[in-house]
Amino acid sequence: MAALRTLLRIRAAAGWRVSGGRQVICSRSEFTSLEEKPQFPGASAEFVDSLEFIQPNVISGIPIYRVMDRQGQIINPSEDPNLPKEQVLKFYHTMTLLNTMDRILYESQRQGRISFYMTNYGEEGTHVGSAAAMKDTDLVFGQYREAGVLMYRGYPLDLFMAQCYANALDPGKGRQMPVHYGCKDRNFVTISSPLATQIPQAVGAAYAMKRENADHAVICYFGEGAASEGDAHAGFNFAATLECPVLFFCRNNGYAISTPTSEQYRGDGIAARGPGYGIMSIRVDGNDVFAVYNATKEARRRAVAENQPFLIEAMTYRIGHHSTSDDSSAYRSVDEVNYWDKQDHPISRLRHYMMHKGWWDDEQEKIWRKKSRKNVRLALTLGFMPLIWHCTGLFTSSYCTVVCLIHSEHTELPV
């Protein structure tokens, strides 16, 4: 009974009273202004007394940041990165060399010399602009259409060829599909075929860098199609909650193989998803190499300084087929492709800029095109000459000490 009386006193003090054997809540004084506001821990919002669902188009489309127009003219001088001539020429040389390598290796696949290839036509600006804005010590997680990033970091043509041919010079020892490049010395993590698996992996690497207090960041590339994978959700959420210095770089090129963006999502692209995860986001013109450079450079600076992730959506267009296994004429018109190839190409836009500056002319263009084709063809010839990896390579470089089962399987191979 003593315990019961104590309980009743506590409830009475809290505003309860007993009436006819029932517990009744006593009316209390008016709520304070603090108590009027929602106290739920899962959101920051205000109460409303009208029933209304949020419309998906409540906000107009996220704007597209750009620096140059399609004729290579700077729109706002304050946004001009004012890069030196040598660096701009490196931009152009990398973009055009990548384009030339794509054409020759694509033809090589059609001739049966290699089994598979993926071109980068139309997306060269996203590669070079972002690669130039990162430090060479920053870690890169690519998808499969970022060869220009590796090329900008100085990866030689002969190793591109060795990987595609899977010859004895291939650092990957012929174990990967063509275009699945990787280079530890250049901090470029080897490409893997499963879609979007690199996104949570990149976040984990960025979290490790944060714990080490290293002045480094991670950049993770993916297409808008990969953003539909569950790994993208997991990666975004982990990066935001763990406050990781990672840049999510989405190449929105209009198609996930044959699926257009109109059938991939109903929202405003990929950048619109960032605020929902608590991620700073921006949308840029992916065919404007300077816009990509500016956005990536600032995102990288803030990611390291503030330990937070950034999402960059680069709007571009995949001019080529998805891969050599695809025929894009089955799902898009030739006129559509020609428009982007002739009217809004990142290479032609940068060339116009250099010509306005007096840094480039038709004669230099002719000489460089001839030289780049010669260099690629020479690397192609050399790549075709070395022997391919012997099948015994399957049993090496996987285990520090060869286990009995692997050894027995190895001995069963014919010499």
Side-chain angles (χ1 to χ4, degrees):
M1 289 299 292
L4 178 59
R5 284 195 295 269
T6 302
L7 177 62
L8 291 175
R9 283 198 300 271
I10 294 173
R11 289 185 170 180
W16 290 75
R17 64 180 174 85
V18 178
S19 176
R22 294 181 301 168
Q23 294 175 342
V24 181
I25 300 177
C26 297
S27 61
R28 303 181 62 182
S29 58
E30 293 184 1
F31 292 120
T32 64
S33 59
L34 177 64
E35 291 171 328
E36 283 287 359
K37 293 184 178 181
Q39 301 300 311
F40 306 114
S44 176
E46 298 290 340
F47 282 125
V48 295
D49 55 12
S50 59
L51 176 62
E52 183 179 358
F53 291 97
I54 298 175
Q55 299 294 324
N57 58 351
V58 66
I59 301 175
S60 60
I62 295 175
I64 303 172
Y65 169 72
R66 69 172 181 168
V67 175
M68 290 187 292
D69 61 19
R70 292 169 184 167
Q71 288 71 46
Q73 298 282 2
I74 299 296
I75 300 169
N76 182 355
S78 66
E79 294 297 317
D80 187 346
N82 292 310
L83 299 175
K85 177 182 177 180
E86 293 74 19
Q87 188 169 9
V88 175
L89 287 175
K90 182 180 179 180
F91 281 16
Y92 189 74
H93 286 157
T94 304
M95 292 164 69
T96 49
L97 182 61
L98 174 63
N99 188 271
T100 300
M101 184 181 78
D102 278 346
R103 295 183 186 280
I104 291 176
L105 281 175
Y106 184 86
E107 294 170 358
S108 181
Q109 192 279 335
R110 289 302 190 229
Q111 295 167 1
R113 294 188 174 190
I114 58 177
S115 60
F116 178 81
Y117 194 70
M118 302 181 79
T119 64
N120 305 274
Y121 301 146
E123 301 182 49
E124 297 89 348
T126 63
H127 299 189
V128 173
S130 58
M134 302 297 290
K135 292 186 177 180
D136 289 342
T137 53
D138 293 332
L139 198 58
V140 177
F141 283 80
Q143 184 163 302
Y144 42 59
R145 211 183 300 276
E146 288 85 25
V149 176
L150 193 52
M151 183 176 285
Y152 189 85
R153 289 194 170 189
Y155 201 65
L157 286 172
D158 58 340
L159 290 184
F160 278 111
M161 301 300 168
Q163 198 284 325
C164 289
Y165 275 96
N167 65 30
L169 300 179
D170 175 22
K173 302 186 178 182
R175 296 174 177 177
Q176 284 273 26
M177 286 178 63
V179 308
H180 288 50
Y181 311 111
C183 182
K184 183 177 181 180
D185 293 339
R186 291 172 174 82
N187 296 301
F188 191 98
V189 179
T190 303
I191 304 298
S192 58
S193 293
L195 203 61
T197 54
Q198 76 276 12
I199 299 178
Q201 293 168 2
V203 176
Y207 184 60
M209 290 180 177
K210 172 187 173 181
R211 290 178 61 86
E212 293 175 354
N213 291 318
D215 182 24
H216 302 320
V218 175
I219 186 167
C220 178
Y221 295 89
F222 55 95
E224 86 287 345
S228 298
E229 294 286 336
D231 279 343
H233 161 74
F236 293 165
N237 202 42
F238 271 123
T241 56
L242 297 176
E243 299 177 332
C244 301
V246 58
L247 278 64
F248 297 112
F249 194 99
C250 175
R251 299 174 291 94
N252 192 333
N253 62 21
Y255 291 90
I257 307 183
S258 61
T259 306
T261 53
S262 60
E263 298 178 17
Q264 293 180 47
Y265 51 77
R266 285 292 180 269
D268 181 26
I270 309 304
R273 303 178 191 179
Y277 290 99
I279 297 177
M280 298 284 286
S281 306
I282 190 172
R283 176 175 287 158
V284 303
D285 182 348
N287 293 343
D288 179 350
V289 69
F290 293 153
V292 174
Y293 173 83
N294 285 352
T296 308
K297 183 178 181 181
E298 178 63 9
R300 194 256 174 214
R301 182 190 70 80
R302 293 187 60 182
V304 173
E306 302 169 12
N307 273 329
Q308 65 169 318
F310 282 78
L311 172 59
I312 301 173
E313 181 182 21
M315 309 304 292
T316 183
Y317 188 83
R318 193 198 78 212
I319 293 176
H321 305 295
H322 173 74
S323 71
T324 49
S325 302
D326 174 47
D327 178 11
S328 64
S329 65
Y331 53 84
R332 61 182 184 178
S333 69
V334 175
D335 291 340
E336 176 184 324
V337 177
N338 284 339
Y339 167 79
W340 292 98
D341 190 25
K342 305 299 182 184
Q343 302 297 324
D344 197 3
H345 200 290
I347 291 178
S348 60
R349 191 183 297 194
L350 183 58
R351 182 167 61 247
H352 290 323
Y353 172 85
M354 294 194 301
M355 287 182 169
H356 295 322
K357 286 279 194 178
W359 295 347
W360 200 252
D361 56 35
D362 292 338
E363 184 61 26
Q364 288 173 296
E365 177 75 13
K366 182 179 179 180
I367 294 172
W368 167 245
R369 292 285 184 173
K370 183 178 180 180
K371 179 181 178 180
S372 61
R373 283 195 297 269
K374 180 180 178 181
N375 290 341
V376 174
R377 290 188 181 280
L378 176 60
L380 182 74
T381 301
L382 295 176
F384 194 63
M385 292 172 62
L387 297 174
I388 61 174
W389 281 90
H390 193 271
C391 58
T392 55
L394 292 170
F395 304 96
T396 60
S397 304
S398 295
Y399 294 90
C400 179
T401 302
V402 179
V403 297
C404 295
L405 178 61
I406 299 298
H407 178 72
S408 62
E409 290 177 348
H410 190 182
T411 56
E412 292 176 2
L413 280 178
V415 179

